[in-house]
């Protein structure tokens, strides 16, 4: 998959996206004709109950899964027909991921977890800078088992942004955290979005978080039920749940 | 499945899911069971058959020879307290001439009573009948010799009996307890074609050797509570005036000694090899079960929460272990029984028993089953204890994250240019579980060791052949005279057709004593400048025999607790009863027999008689061997001829056939262990690290890069296992070489670099294949599923 950074237009253009899972005789329609555009630098929140299709969409635009039908274009390039090797390269070069359970490598320190990614990236920031961005300069030589949940998630954010990705995809990043810690994590995400300009998509079923986004996509039964624009974004520190 | 409890259903499904790993463990167990059944079964087969055959044929307990003892001594011997039966007889070496066979065969003529059966060492008639009394040309021959030549009753062959060539007619084919392992003089492996044992009626041999009313060999059986030593001492005293040579018991009888040597090896195999497999299977069971229990923490907590007892849960996991063990026992028992039959038929080629049945008594299988179950449960115990100890509440919370630490006190971060982070991940994981890493390394080292232990025999035998036949006994043939001759006889030998060079030797039976220790040996006297047959020192350098003093082979010196400089009392058994103290001047290297050497001059002086020679070692012109064979067949003075060249080839062929079989077996066993260890190890690593590896894939690492983490870990252990395996292999080989050592022969410990290399290559290959099988699973990692779940 060739990339063309000069192509104007949206970061992602999704149209008629359908994903059907078949388990034995059961057929689950996880996405049912989703249309969506995400602009460069935008912060979007994907909101919805469990099984509404938001994670499936994130997996497809993150290059982890392929749609059954429809099109998903990253900067004008079609992802739907990319092969495994192309998707791996796409994830490696363009996408940063943040997961609910952090997914840090337990045998590497915070610094090494970030360096693991920067050593294979084309134009990364230093691990120290990435960790400073999430406020973890003083904890960078600790192993995951020595960090709190919030700290682990911030290492995960530092790792995701260290390669200066065009896209930052976060799946329930505060799902395993209490609200105070969750706010610290959201602040780190907001700062990363502002400073790196990465298009950021945050999945959550926590409606409180919606106010920090530019736009909020509400999912229901595999479709986008509503798309709301926040006229005024609030800071994460002002959010409560 | 309706009859099954819920836990048993879970058990069945666990087994179905873990089938490949379980099978790998079951196969390792099967190897243990197989080798145990094979070794114990074969030991029993030989022991039982031997006992039954000896009993039936009344194999003697004590044997002695004399030059010419009056028959009346028989009654005197029978009167010794403890003697149950006595058989006096005539035994003579003989040269056999068979139509169509150029080289002369050697044999033994043994008398049987004119009427009825012998009281001791009875013959077992395989076919035909015993010779009729009064028919001097009738003989029976032992089965191995008959089969080698295709002889049947009615066939005939010629023999040089006391200087006269006579045509003998076969009336029957026999087996004899004295010749279960029939080996000719000077041979180290049986050559059925060139060594025959011929039985004739007593009167016939009396006439042929002018031994009317006399005997030169006697065998006794003893009553149950007899004092063997006393009987032997009395027998020696009775026979001494008649050239009696010290009596010996069964254990010094060559045929029985070879059988014993085989039994010692089988028992050593039963003690060394099955435990290796059982140890590895215990370790594998532990590894698999620990992982399974770690994965099922929450299920275990749930089961306890709803009221299942600790013992119920322990039994559930113990059952899983036992089911795998049952599979291992069944596969091993079937394979062991099949191979056992093969081994029994191999034995029947070497040992002449009327029957040889591989033992299949049920207790053998019960022992194998119990030992396997015990090993498996011992391996499972620790993991099961972990499951039992989990309190329900803790069990239902995820385990605390694994704590890692930096290597070398954090210095590993400084190795950045050397190691990528992927490599650091692998190395830290290895160090995080040191016991497992050590055991996996040991588990991979053992097949390397096993291979070295089986392959080293090639190197050792090569070295032995080189030493025995190319450095020490370099003659093509050894001619032994019927009676000792004057020194001039060597000239006659040198003039025989085809003889290029000849060296005389004198052989004297002697008793060596040092303190309370004593041994019966033959002292060989040769000329100091001898070049054809040489005595080697401990560094394999030829020794120039000193004018005085005795040289003993290492094992003989150690039997007598002698060191160079010590004096040894020598009594030649030539009827003179002279005991002389002779200094031990050196220790020599020998792989065959217990050797005592001295210069011929010194032996002549020791004998107190004129210079005599017992035979000659000769180098033969390859183009004229047949002429020499013809001449030997016509020379009455030559009693036997040992053909070293033929012996060497026969030996090499036999060893290569045996080693060929055992190498195939050992390579298969090594591959099974390696696959068992590496496949399971890789599967467990993958299971533990699936989430980590999937994360790497999500971050854009390729399958190749992600696999490197797993393969680096395995690679480090497999590489570390090689030198460890070489060390253990060397240790095992040393044990085997020591275990093989007997008074009959020993094998040197020689391991060449290609043996180490080949052993490692087989294991590296098997490890690579197992790792690649698991690597394919990395390609199929479900990225989305592993990321959604917690560890």
């Amino acid at each position: 998959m060739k990339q063309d950074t000069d192509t104007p237009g949206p970061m992602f253009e999704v149209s008629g996206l359908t994903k059907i899972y078949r388990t034995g005789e059961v057929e689950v329609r996880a996405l049912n004709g989703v249309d969506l555009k995400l602009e460069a630098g935008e912060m979007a929140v994907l909101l919805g109950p469990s099984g509404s299709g938001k994670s499936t969409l994130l997996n497809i635009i993150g290059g982890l899964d392929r749609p059954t039908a429809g099109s998903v274009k990253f900067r004008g390039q079609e992802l739907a027909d990319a092969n495994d090797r192309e998707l791996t390269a796409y994830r490696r070069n363009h996408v940063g991921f943040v997961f609910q359970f952090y997914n840090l490598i337990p045998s590497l320190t915070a610094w090494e977890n970030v360096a693991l990614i920067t050593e294979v990236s084309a134009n990364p920031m230093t691990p120290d800078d990435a960790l400073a961005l999430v406020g973890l300069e003083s904890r960078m030589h600790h192993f995951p088992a020595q960090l709190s949940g919030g700290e682990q998630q911030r290492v995960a954010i530092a790792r995701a942004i260290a390669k200066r990705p065009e896209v930052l995809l976060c799946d329930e990043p505060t799902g395993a955290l209490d609200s105070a810690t969750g706010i610290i994590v959201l602040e780190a995400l907001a700062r990363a979005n502002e400073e790196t300009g990465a298009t950021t998509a945050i999945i959550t079923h926590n409606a409180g978080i919606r106010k920090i986004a530019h736009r909020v996509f509400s999912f229901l039964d595999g479709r986008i039920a509503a798309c709301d624009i926040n006229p005024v974004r609030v800071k994460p520190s002002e959010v409560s749940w | 499945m309706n009859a099954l409890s819920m836990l048993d259903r879970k058990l069945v499904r666990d087994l179905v899911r873990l089938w490949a790993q379980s099978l790998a463990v079951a196969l390792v167990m099967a190897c243990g069971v197989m080798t145990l059944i094979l070794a114990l079964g074969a030991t029993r087969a030989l022991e039982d058959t031997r006992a039954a055959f000896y009993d039936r044929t009344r194999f003697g307990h004590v044997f002695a020879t004399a030059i010419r003892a009056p028959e009346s001594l028989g009654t005197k011997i029978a009167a010794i307290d403890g003697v149950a039966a006595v058989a006096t007889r005539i035994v003579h070496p003989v040269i056999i001439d068979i139509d169509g066979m150029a080289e002369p065969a050697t044999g033994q003529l043994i008398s049987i009573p004119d009427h009825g059966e012998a009281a001791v060492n009875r013959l077992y008639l395989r076919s035909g009948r015993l010779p009729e009394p009064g028919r001097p040309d009738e003989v029976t021959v032992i089965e191995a010799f008959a089969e080698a030549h295709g002889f049947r009753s009615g066939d005939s062959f010629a023999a040089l009996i006391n200087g006269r060539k006579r045509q003998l007619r076969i009336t029957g084919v026999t087996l004899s307890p004295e010749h279960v392992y029939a080996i000719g003089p000077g041979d180290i492996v049986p050559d059925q074609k060139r060594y025959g044992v011929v039985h004739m009626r007593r009167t016939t041999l009396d006439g042929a050797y002018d031994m009317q009313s006399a005997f030169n060999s006697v065998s006794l059986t003893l009553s149950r509570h007899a004092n063997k030593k006393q009987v032997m001492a009395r027998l020696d005293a009775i026979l001494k005036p008649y050239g009696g040579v010290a009596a010996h018991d069964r254990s010094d009888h060559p045929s029985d000694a070879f059988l014993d040597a085989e039994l010692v090896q089988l028992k050593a195999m039963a003690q060394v090899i099955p435990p290796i497999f059982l140890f590895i299977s215990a370790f594998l069971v532990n590894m698999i079960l620990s992982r399974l229990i770690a994965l099922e923490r929450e299920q275990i907590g749930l089961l306890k929460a709803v009221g299942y007892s600790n013992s119920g849960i322990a039994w559930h996991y113990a059952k899983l272990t036992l089911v795998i063990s049952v599979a291992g026992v069944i596969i091993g028992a079937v394979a062991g029984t099949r191979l056992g039959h093969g081994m029994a038929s191999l034995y029947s080629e070497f040992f002449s028993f009327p029957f040889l049945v591989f033992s299949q008594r049920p207790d053998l299988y019960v022992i194998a089953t119990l030992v396997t179950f015990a090993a498996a449960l011992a391996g499972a115990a620790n993991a099961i204890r972990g499951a039992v100890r989990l309190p329900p509440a803790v069990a239902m919370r995820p385990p605390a994250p694994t704590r890692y630490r930096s290597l070398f006190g954090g210095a590993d971060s400084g190795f950045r240019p050397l190691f990528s982070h992927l490599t650091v991940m692998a190395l830290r994981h290895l160090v995080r579980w040191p016991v497992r890493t050590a055991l996996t390394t040991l588990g991979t080292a053992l097949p390397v060791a096993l291979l070295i232990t089986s392959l080293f025999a090639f190197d050792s035998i090569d070295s032995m052949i080189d030493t025995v036949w190319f450095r020490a006994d370099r003659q093509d043939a050894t001619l032994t005279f019927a009676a000792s001759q004057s020194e001039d006889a060597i000239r006659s030998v040198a003039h025989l057709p085809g003889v290029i060079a000849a060296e005389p030797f004198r052989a004297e039976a002697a008793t060596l004593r040092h303190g309370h220790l004593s041994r019966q040996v033959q002292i060989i006297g040769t000329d100091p400048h001898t070049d054809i047959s040489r005595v080697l020192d401990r560094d394999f350098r030829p020794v120039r025999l000193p004018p005085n003093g005795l040289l003993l082979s290492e094992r003989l010196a150690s039997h007598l607790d002698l060191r160079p400089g010590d004096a040894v009392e020598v009594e030649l058994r030539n009827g003179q009863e002279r005991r002389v103290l002779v200094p031990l001047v050196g220790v020599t290297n020998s792989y065959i027999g217990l050797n005592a050497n001295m210069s011929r001059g010194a032996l002549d002086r020791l004998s107190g008689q004129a210079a005599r020679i017992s035979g000659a070692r000769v180098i033969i012109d390859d183009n004229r061997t047949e002429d020499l064979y013809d001449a030997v067949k016509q020379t009455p003075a030559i009693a036997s001829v040992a053909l070293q060249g033929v012996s060497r080839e026969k030996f090499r062929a036999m060893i290569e056939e045996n080693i060929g079989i055992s190498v195939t077996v050992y390579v298969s066993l090594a591959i099974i262990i390696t696959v068992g260890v590496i496949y399971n190890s890789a599967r467990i690593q993958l299971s533990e690290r699936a989430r980590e590896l999937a994360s790497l894939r999500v971050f854009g690492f390729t399958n190749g890069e992600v696999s490197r983490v797993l393969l680096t870990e395995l690679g480090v252990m497999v590489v570390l296992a090689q030198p460890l395996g070489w060390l253990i292999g060397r240790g095992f080989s040393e044990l085997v070489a020591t275990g093989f050592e007997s008074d009959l022969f020993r094998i040197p410990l020689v391991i060449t670099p290609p043996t180490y290399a080949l052993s490692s290559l087989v294991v590296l290959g098997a490890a690579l294949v197992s790792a690649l099988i698991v690597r394919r699973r990395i390609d199929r990692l479900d990225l989305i599923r592993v990321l959604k779940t917690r560890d």
Side-chain angles (χ1 to χ4, degrees):
Chain A
M1 192 183 68
K2 280 184 232 152
Q3 67 176 77
D4 181 359
T5 44
D6 297 332
T7 311
M11 188 66 78
F12 284 106
E13 192 170 0
V14 172
S15 56
L17 203 63
T18 300
K19 178 73 185 178
I20 298 166
Y21 292 108
R22 285 191 186 83
T23 330
E25 291 167 12
V26 186
E27 192 173 275
V28 178
R29 199 167 270 265
L31 287 177
N32 195 5
V34 169
D35 301 313
L36 158 97
K37 280 182 188 169
L38 289 176
E39 303 299 335
E42 177 180 19
M43 177 179 271
V45 162
L46 313 184
L47 201 63
S50 291
S52 58
K54 53 192 192 303
S55 287
T56 307
L57 175 68
L58 196 81
N59 290 338
I60 292 172
I61 63 177
L64 294 174
D65 206 353
R66 288 193 187 80
T68 312
S71 152
V72 51
K73 285 183 178 159
F74 168 72
R75 293 189 145 171
Q77 301 293 320
E78 185 58 69
L79 290 181
D81 355 298
N83 61 27
D84 266 350
R85 206 159 46 82
E86 289 165 339
L87 286 180
T88 301
Y90 162 69
R91 296 196 301 268
R92 185 171 185 140
N93 298 325
H94 305 291
V95 190
F97 284 98
V98 177
F99 297 98
Q100 181 177 4
F101 297 117
Y102 334 130
N103 288 61
L104 297 180
I105 306 295
S107 55
L108 297 179
T109 61
W111 188 90
E112 289 165 343
N113 262 284
V114 180
L116 175 73
I117 303 301
T118 60
E119 73 182 3
V120 296
S121 304
N123 179 31
M125 54 180 89
T126 64
D128 301 67
D129 288 347
L131 285 162
L133 202 68
V134 296
L136 277 180
E137 309 91 310
S138 59
R139 308 281 281 164
M140 62 169 95
H141 296 302
H142 289 66
F143 282 96
Q146 299 165 311
L147 299 172
S148 71
E151 287 171 332
Q152 289 187 53
Q153 191 61 297
R154 280 146 67 199
V155 175
I157 294 169
R159 179 178 61 188
I161 60 173
K163 67 166 101 161
R164 301 184 202 278
E166 284 104 315
V167 190
L168 187 57
L169 302 176
C170 314
D171 194 349
E172 300 277 10
T174 59
L177 303 171
D178 60 64
S179 69
T181 315
I183 285 164
I184 296 171
V185 166
L186 289 178
E187 280 176 332
L189 279 175
R191 195 168 161 202
N193 170 248
E194 276 161 29
E195 298 200 5
T196 65
T199 304
T200 305
I202 302 174
I203 283 187
T204 182
H205 55 263
N206 183 341
I209 293 173
R210 61 190 303 161
K211 294 174 193 155
I212 68 167
H214 293 109
R215 284 194 293 168
V216 179
F217 297 91
S218 300
F219 279 70
L220 194 65
D221 296 334
R223 292 173 186 274
I224 296 177
C227 172
D228 302 309
I229 299 170
N230 279 330
V232 182
R233 288 172 66 200
V234 303
K235 290 182 178 161
S237 57
E238 293 163 18
V239 174
S240 65
W241 68 83
Chain B
M1 201 130 138
N2 283 338
L4 291 177
S5 74
M6 292 308 128
L7 272 186
D8 286 343
R9 288 188 192 196
K10 173 181 171 302
L11 178 76
V12 171
R13 284 175 193 154
D14 281 346
L15 278 167
V16 170
R17 192 164 49 84
L18 296 171
W19 74 268
Q21 284 171 270
S22 307
L23 181 66
V25 181
L27 284 177
V28 175
M29 284 176 182
C31 292
V33 172
M34 181 187 84
T35 47
L36 191 69
I37 287 180
L38 201 57
L40 287 182
T43 307
R44 280 189 184 179
L46 277 185
E47 273 179 343
D48 294 355
T49 310
R50 176 170 74 166
F53 186 53
Y54 283 181
D55 192 48
R56 181 164 175 176
T57 54
R58 308 198 183 172
F59 183 40
H61 294 111
V62 172
F63 305 82
T65 58
I67 292 167
R68 183 191 172 94
E71 190 59 40
S72 58
L73 289 186
T75 330
K76 214 167 162 184
I77 295 169
I80 300 174
D81 188 29
V83 172
V86 179
T88 59
R89 55 189 187 168
I90 294 165
V91 177
H92 262 283
V94 65
I95 286 193
I96 297 170
D97 182 8
I98 291 159
D99 281 348
M101 189 169 100
E103 64 263 46
T106 58
Q108 255 195 328
L109 286 179
I110 300 176
S111 71
I112 50 172
D114 283 338
H115 299 285
E117 284 193 277
V120 183
N121 304 334
R122 285 185 179 171
L123 294 180
Y124 182 98
L125 201 57
R126 275 293 229 203
S127 65
R129 58 169 176 81
L130 293 179
E132 288 281 334
R135 292 210 178 150
D137 62 330
E138 288 191 353
V139 296
T140 60
V141 292
I142 54 165
E143 187 178 54
F145 182 66
E147 278 180 356
H149 293 285
F151 283 154
R152 293 206 188 136
S153 300
D155 290 348
S156 59
F157 61 90
L160 213 58
I161 300 179
N162 208 12
R164 279 181 50 212
K165 190 168 183 175
R166 285 172 59 169
Q167 203 65 24
L168 303 174
R169 207 165 60 80
I170 298 168
T171 61
V173 173
T174 60
L175 297 174
S176 151
E178 288 186 282
H179 301 98
V180 169
Y181 190 85
I183 187 162
D187 280 345
I188 55 172
V189 288
D191 186 343
Q192 291 88 349
K193 252 185 138 80
R194 285 197 308 110
Y195 182 67
V197 179
V198 180
H199 288 90
M200 300 173 89
R201 289 293 182 186
R202 176 72 179 264
T203 315
T204 313
L205 277 183
D206 280 354
Y209 289 98
D210 194 19
M211 290 285 277
Q212 282 85 359
S213 300
F215 65 91
N216 67 359
S217 165
V218 61
S219 321
L220 322 174
T221 53
L222 302 180
S223 57
R224 193 173 294 255
H225 303 294
N227 181 332
K228 192 163 67 183
K229 279 200 166 159
Q230 275 179 14
V231 173
M232 283 161 65
R234 281 286 302 136
L235 184 62
D236 282 345
I238 293 171
L239 290 177
K240 198 151 202 172
Y242 307 98
V245 169
H248 64 85
D249 65 0
R250 262 186 201 180
S251 64
D252 284 329
H253 197 292
S255 166
D256 192 65
F258 270 101
L259 257 171
D260 255 346
E262 184 63 37
L263 281 165
V264 167
Q265 287 166 33
L266 276 174
K267 284 175 184 164
M269 174 181 157
Q271 277 163 11
V272 176
I273 295 177
I276 293 181
F277 288 100
L278 294 173
F279 164 75
I280 292 176
S281 34
F283 160 59
L284 293 179
V285 165
N286 177 275
M287 202 158 74
I288 292 178
L289 217 57
S290 299
R291 181 59 194 156
L292 186 65
I293 288 171
L295 285 175
E296 294 185 347
R297 269 171 75 88
E298 291 167 31
Q299 296 177 35
I300 295 167
L302 179 77
L303 290 170
K304 288 187 180 183
V306 299
Y308 279 90
S309 67
N310 278 335
S311 57
I313 288 167
W315 177 228
H316 169 67
Y317 288 108
K319 265 198 282 193
L320 184 85
T321 310
L322 290 176
V323 171
I324 297 174
S325 310
V326 166
V329 167
I330 292 173
I331 300 171
V334 171
T337 306
R338 290 193 63 158
L339 276 177
H341 289 300
M343 197 148 165
S345 69
L346 199 67
Y347 275 141
S348 59
E349 276 181 36
F350 287 102
F351 300 117
S352 301
F353 285 117
F355 46 85
L356 185 65
V357 183
F358 181 70
S359 171
Q360 280 175 296
R361 288 210 299 266
D363 62 325
L364 193 65
Y365 297 86
V366 172
I367 291 171
T369 307
L370 290 180
V371 168
T372 308
F373 280 14
L377 288 176
N382 204 28
I384 293 179
R385 203 175 307 129
V388 168
R389 279 194 184 154
L390 280 176
V394 172
M396 292 180 70
R397 279 201 298 273
T402 311
R403 285 184 173 275
Y404 284 86
R405 56 187 174 81
S406 302
L407 308 176
F408 320 113
D412 58 345
S413 313
F415 288 141
R416 281 284 296 107
L418 277 178
F419 299 126
S420 72
H421 284 105
L422 296 178
T423 311
V424 171
M425 279 172 70
L427 297 182
R428 285 195 187 142
H429 197 250
L430 283 172
V431 175
R432 177 64 187 80
W433 312 105
V435 175
R436 190 167 72 186
T437 303
L439 286 176
T440 308
T441 307
L442 180 63
T444 316
L446 285 174
V448 178
L450 197 66
L451 281 174
I452 291 174
T453 314
S454 70
L455 293 175
F456 98 98
F458 273 125
D459 299 336
S460 296
I461 301 281
D462 265 353
S463 154
M464 182 176 169
I465 288 178
D466 177 60
T467 309
V468 173
W469 281 296
F470 292 98
R471 293 199 206 197
D473 294 322
R474 307 191 299 170
Q475 66 270 30
D476 294 321
T478 302
L479 310 177
T480 307
F481 301 142
S484 66
Q485 307 271 328
S486 75
E487 278 184 307
D488 295 343
I490 194 68
R491 258 177 258 137
S492 313
V493 172
H495 285 119
L496 284 172
V499 171
I500 294 174
E503 278 178 359
F505 67 89
R506 176 169 188 168
E508 289 292 341
T511 306
L512 305 185
R513 295 189 184 87
H514 180 235
H516 65 284
L517 302 166
S518 73
R519 284 279 153 163
Q520 317 287 339
V521 295
Q522 268 215 324
I523 300 179
I524 304 289
T526 45
D527 294 337
H529 51 79
T530 175
D531 189 48
I532 298 178
S533 173
R534 307 185 298 187
V535 177
L536 304 179
D537 69 10
R538 276 194 270 197
D539 299 319
F540 303 101
R541 287 180 307 230
V543 178
R544 188 181 163 82
L545 295 172
N548 293 300
L550 193 63
L551 291 152
L552 299 183
S553 58
E554 227 170 333
R555 190 173 168 92
L556 181 54
S558 110
H559 277 330
L560 293 168
D561 193 25
L562 285 167
R563 266 160 286 279
D566 292 349
V568 51
E569 186 189 287
V570 179
E571 183 187 357
L572 293 191
R573 298 197 303 242
N574 55 5
Q576 296 193 356
E577 293 187 43
R578 275 207 316 155
R579 295 185 177 197
V580 180
L581 279 178
V582 178
L584 177 68
V585 291
V587 173
T588 62
N589 203 319
S590 158
Y591 294 131
I592 298 168
L594 298 176
N595 296 338
N597 296 83
M598 64 200 304
S599 81
R600 199 157 60 83
L603 187 56
D604 288 341
R605 285 195 298 282
L606 192 68
S607 73
Q609 298 164 339
R612 305 289 292 173
I613 60 175
S614 313
R617 281 127 176 192
V618 297
I619 301 284
I620 308 172
D621 178 352
D622 280 348
N623 300 319
R624 300 193 59 198
T625 44
E626 298 209 358
D627 296 342
L628 178 67
Y629 294 158
D630 279 345
V632 166
K633 289 176 191 172
Q634 310 299 331
T635 309
I638 298 172
S640 76
V641 52
L643 300 173
Q644 267 77 15
V646 178
S647 201
R648 181 177 64 225
E649 291 318 310
K650 183 92 188 166
F651 180 70
R652 206 192 277 276
M654 183 187 103
I655 295 295
E656 274 170 11
E657 185 192 335
N658 282 4
I659 293 182
I661 296 170
S662 70
V663 164
T664 313
V665 171
Y666 282 109
V667 165
S668 316
L669 296 182
I671 289 175
I672 290 174
I673 301 183
T674 311
V675 172
V677 171
I678 298 298
Y679 177 75
N680 272 304
S681 175
R683 281 298 302 270
I684 281 163
Q685 274 190 49
L686 185 61
S687 155
E688 282 175 351
R689 310 184 75 177
R691 183 180 168 77
E692 221 174 289
L693 301 180
S695 299
L696 292 175
R697 290 281 293 117
V698 168
F699 302 146
F701 286 91
T702 60
N703 278 328
E705 287 166 326
V706 173
S707 309
R708 224 174 62 204
V709 179
L710 199 76
L711 297 181
T712 302
E713 257 190 76
L714 292 173
V716 167
M717 290 189 284
V718 171
V719 167
L720 285 178
Q722 303 310 313
L724 182 64
W726 299 336
L727 267 178
I728 300 174
R730 193 176 171 86
F732 281 170
S733 304
E734 218 168 311
L735 279 179
V736 168
T738 317
F740 267 43
E741 205 171 309
S742 69
D743 288 352
L744 300 169
F745 62 90
R746 68 186 184 90
I747 55 170
L749 177 66
V750 179
I751 309 175
T752 60
T755 297
Y756 287 115
L758 186 63
S759 306
S760 286
L761 277 179
V762 170
V763 170
L764 289 172
L768 188 65
V769 171
S770 329
L772 290 180
I773 293 172
V774 179
R775 188 215 174 276
R776 286 178 50 212
R777 291 181 162 259
I778 291 182
D779 302 350
R780 302 202 300 260
L781 275 179
D782 184 343
L783 304 187
I784 296 163
R785 196 172 62 86
V786 284
L787 291 178
K788 276 288 174 193
T789 53
R790 233 197 132 118
D791 251 342

